[in-house]
Amino acid sequence: YQKQNSVLHKVNGVFMLLSFFSCRVLLFPYLYYAYSRYASIPLYWVPLVAPWQCNLGAALLWPLQLYWFGLICRGALRQSGRRLKATGSTDSSTRKLMGGR
C-alpha cells in the first residue's frame, strides 16, 4: 500500500522498537535482578546460585533477542536513511542534466 512514509507507520515502528526492547531484551537482566532481590543476594552471585537450567535458557535465548533487536534497529535505520536520501540527494535525471553520471 506504500504507506512506509506515513506518520502512523513511523510511530508504530518506534513503539515496536521500544516495546521489543523493554519486554524482550531487558527481560533477562530484570529476571536476574528480581531473583537477587528475592534471594537477598548480590546481583553478581545470581548466575552462581540460580538453577543451571535458568542460566542455560537465558544464555540461549538472550542472544537471539539481541540479534532480533539489532535487525529491527537496522531496518529502522535503513527506513530513515531511505527517507533522508530521497529528500537530500538529486535524482538521476537531474544529475544527467547537470552533466554528471
Side-chain angles (χ1 to χ4, degrees), residues 22-39 41 43 46-47 50 54-55 57-58 61-62:
S22 62
C23 295
R24 300 202 54 187
V25 173
L26 290 181
L27 174 70
F28 296 101
Y30 175 74
L31 287 175
Y32 279 80
Y33 170 75
Y35 189 81
S36 74
R37 297 274 317 250
Y38 170 77
I41 58 173
L43 184 60
V46 172
C54 296
N55 290 325
L61 291 175
W62 200 41

Side-chain angles (χ1 to χ4, degrees), residues 55-82:
N55 290 325
L56 179 64
L60 292 175
L61 291 175
W62 200 41
L64 288 173
Q65 306 304 321
L66 293 173
Y67 174 72
W68 291 331
F69 184 69
L71 290 179
I72 292 170
C73 289
R74 188 182 320 167
L77 288 174
R78 188 178 313 135
Q79 185 67 25
S80 66
R82 188 179 304 152

Side-chain angles (χ1 to χ4, degrees), residues 78-89:
R78 188 178 313 135
Q79 185 67 25
S80 66
R82 188 179 304 152
R83 183 180 56 86
L84 291 175
K85 278 185 181 178
T87 60
S89 68

